[in-house]
Amino acid sequence: MFNLRVVKGFSHTIGLSSEHYIQRYQQIFQDLYKLQYPLIPGFATIDGTKQYASNNSEIPVSHFRINYRNNLQLSSLGIGSYQGAPDQNNDIMLYGSIIDSVLSGGVNVIDTAINYRYMKSERVIGSAIRALNIPRDQLFISSKGGYIPADGDRGIQETQLIRELINKNLITQDDVVGACHCMHPKFLELQLEQSLNHLGLETLDLLYLHNAAESQLPFLGYDKFYDRIAKAFEQYEKFVQKGQIKRYGMATWVCFRARPDEDRIHVPLEKIVQIAEKVGGKDHHFEYVQMPINAMMPEAFSQEWQPFKGENTQILTVARQLKVNLVISSPLMGGTLMQVPLPSDIFKCQFLGAKHLQFLRSIPAESIKTILIGQKANRHTKQNLEVIRVPPLTADEFWSFFQPLKRKQVVDDELDMQ
């Protein structure tokens, strides 16, 4: 079990109100946030993640999932860091939620991006990692590159950063798309260095290319877009060789959910993996796709819109066949789905947020590994963590929810898996 005391004056805070948390730990957080520390060495390992999964015997074994290609044992619930105003109260609440989530024994996946909350989310996560008394090899930390971010702490706007990069001949104006996104290798290199410093880490477990298709494909067309993807993947493979990251992927919003006839929006996952293989060979390090799935965005398990070996099928099937791990974002659509009730008797949870998380992690698809939830207020964290103490639904239990609606069972042949 964990030592619940993480730093002097600090203890597990799941029972405190957010207001009490902010008042009690404001100074501790400020000290950790501002101070510079040596980068923490290491990365998530098979043994480390296996140890984390065994730390709390009250959490079902089925809550953790073995990931493709790396055999890491990661929690089916992870914490995201996208939402929230760039102010100190949100910083402290995010910090507390990370600590409480990790110390619960049920969350060893932490996701962020350099542009989230104007760089503040990465810095908050770095503070939380330093405070936690958890070995580095038990935690899986991911971030993202591609968007040109403002720096909320230093007051640097996106346009200022673009001008500096162009003036230093690191990129050209043509490399910047929509005044917000860039995949030039030099830019991605600069972003990774910043992310590692923000997080206080020598190595990221996963670095995504962030909304590349959504930001650039409509402007570039497929040929130029795929060429830029290949160059970005080449750079990411170099990051792996340097030990700065362990693997990479694509964090997306719509490109893998779009219909095949949606020109300059739809992207075949099969094509992306082919590019990765061309760049890095069969032992390439493209291992993850992040995409939204929720009760209002069910395309992944309801539509056969992804081409694979000459036929159209579901993204879940393609990901399984290509051994690409799926990480699910936006499970509550930014809170919108908190207006959509789900039955407690089927989903085995009391709180509505936990029911929606249970719905998603129970989709009978081997390729789905982790559901990311953005949570900050202690009350929300406590409610969402209810799901880690119950096993996912079986396939029969999952589909029983749809039977009254007489909906067609459309998921690939993974339905037979336990």
Side-chain angles (χ1 to χ4, degrees):
M1 294 292 290
F2 295 126
N3 176 0
L4 297 185
R5 296 195 65 80
V6 288
V7 292
K8 184 178 180 181
F10 225 102
S11 61
H12 202 42
T13 58
I14 200 71
L16 298 180
S17 69
S18 296
E19 293 77 12
H20 188 184
Y21 186 94
I22 291 170
Q23 293 172 3
R24 184 173 179 183
Y25 297 119
Q26 185 174 27
Q27 189 59 53
I28 296 173
F29 168 77
Q30 287 176 336
D31 291 343
L32 286 167
Y33 189 83
K34 293 177 180 179
L35 293 177
Q36 293 292 319
Y37 292 84
L39 300 183
I40 299 171
F43 43 83
T45 66
I46 295 174
D47 289 341
T49 55
K50 182 178 180 180
Q51 177 60 50
Y52 182 90
S54 67
N55 281 332
N56 189 339
S57 60
E58 296 180 2
I59 296 177
V61 174
S62 56
H63 173 63
F64 294 89
R65 298 178 178 180
I66 305 297
N67 282 214
Y68 297 137
R69 296 173 66 91
N70 54 53
N71 293 318
L72 298 177
Q73 198 162 337
L74 303 185
S75 54
S76 59
L77 183 67
I79 187 165
S81 57
Y82 170 67
Q83 292 186 324
D87 57 38
Q88 189 178 87
N89 281 3
N90 276 277
D91 287 348
I92 298 172
M93 286 192 292
L94 175 60
Y95 176 66
S97 182
I98 293 167
I99 288 177
D100 288 337
S101 297
V102 173
L103 291 180
S104 73
V107 178
N108 67 344
V109 177
I110 304 173
D111 179 77
T112 189
I114 191 170
N115 61 303
Y116 284 176
R117 301 177 60 250
Y118 304 99
M119 297 193 187
K120 290 174 73 66
S121 287
E122 283 191 335
R123 291 170 176 146
V124 170
I125 291 170
S127 300
I129 292 171
R130 288 192 292 271
L132 282 163
N133 187 26
I134 304 294
R136 175 66 182 93
D137 64 357
Q138 296 187 23
L139 299 178
F140 185 89
I141 314 297
S142 60
S143 192
K144 310 177 186 74
Y147 278 117
I148 300 171
D151 189 330
D153 289 328
R154 299 170 60 197
I156 298 175
Q157 298 298 315
E158 298 94 327
T159 53
Q160 180 180 344
L161 178 59
I162 293 172
R163 286 197 303 270
E164 290 178 359
L165 294 172
I166 293 175
N167 290 339
K168 293 178 180 178
N169 295 319
L170 295 176
I171 63 173
T172 67
Q173 189 63 56
D174 183 60
D175 295 317
V176 180
V177 178
C180 69
H181 201 274
C182 182
M183 290 193 286
H184 190 281
K186 286 292 185 182
F187 175 73
L188 296 176
E189 183 177 14
L190 174 64
Q191 284 209 308
L192 176 58
E193 291 175 358
Q194 287 181 298
S195 290
L196 291 173
N197 283 325
H198 294 164
L199 293 163
L201 302 176
E202 286 188 358
T203 303
L204 266 178
D205 298 297
L206 169 62
L207 180 63
Y208 292 105
L209 195 57
H210 198 180
N211 284 351
E214 290 79 357
S215 300
Q216 298 210 15
L217 180 55
F219 298 94
L220 302 180
Y222 283 101
D223 289 344
K224 192 170 183 179
F225 171 72
Y226 288 142
D227 180 63
R228 289 192 176 184
I229 288 290
K231 291 177 180 177
F233 283 6
E234 288 176 1
Q235 185 63 52
Y236 276 25
E237 290 286 350
K238 291 178 181 178
F239 294 155
V240 174
Q241 297 304 317
K242 292 179 180 178
Q244 293 174 297
I245 68 174
K246 294 299 291 181
R247 54 196 64 84
Y248 60 95
M250 289 181 67
T252 70
W253 184 252
V254 70
C255 67
F256 294 129
R257 298 187 298 112
R259 297 190 311 271
D261 61 354
E262 293 187 89
D263 187 47
R264 297 194 180 202
I265 299 175
H266 171 84
V267 173
L269 178 57
E270 183 179 32
K271 174 65 175 180
I272 296 299
V273 173
Q274 288 171 352
I275 294 173
E277 290 179 345
K278 184 176 181 180
V279 168
K282 290 296 182 181
D283 294 327
H284 64 84
H285 295 86
F286 179 86
E287 299 181 13
Y288 286 82
V289 160
Q290 187 177 130
M291 61 182 293
I293 304 177
N294 55 55
M296 300 300 291
M297 296 178 175
E299 299 91 346
F301 65 93
S302 66
Q303 301 295 340
E304 297 181 337
W305 286 345
Q306 278 286 312
F308 184 68
K309 295 185 176 179
E311 298 182 357
N312 281 348
T313 187
Q314 296 161 359
I315 184 71
L316 303 180
T317 304
V318 178
R320 178 172 61 86
Q321 293 287 346
L322 296 175
K323 302 302 180 188
V324 174
N325 302 287
L326 295 183
V327 175
I328 307 310
S329 62
S330 194
L332 302 180
M333 286 188 69
T336 301
L337 291 178
M338 293 303 287
Q339 307 301 317
V340 178
L342 292 174
S344 298
D345 59 332
I346 291 178
F347 293 100
K348 305 176 182 178
C349 293
Q350 173 186 356
F351 297 107
L352 183 54
K355 293 176 191 176
H356 279 279
L357 297 171
Q358 175 74 316
F359 167 74
L360 292 174
R361 72 174 190 153
S362 298
I363 295 172
E366 179 187 290
S367 52
I368 294 178
K369 303 302 183 182
T370 296
I371 317 298
L372 297 174
I373 179 69
Q375 53 192 22
K376 291 186 293 296
N378 282 31
R379 177 170 59 89
H380 296 157
T381 299
K382 181 178 180 179
Q383 292 174 353
N384 292 334
L385 288 176
E386 179 189 16
V387 75
I388 71 176
R389 297 184 179 276
V390 297
L393 305 184
T394 66
D396 288 342
E397 288 173 328
F398 179 82
W399 288 116
S400 72
F401 173 62
F402 292 87
Q403 286 175 356
L405 303 178
K406 300 185 183 300
R407 293 190 178 183
K408 181 182 177 182
Q409 284 185 208
V410 183
V411 161
D412 57 25
D413 53 3
E414 299 172 34
L415 286 175
D416 294 331
M417 61 165 283
Q418 297 299 315

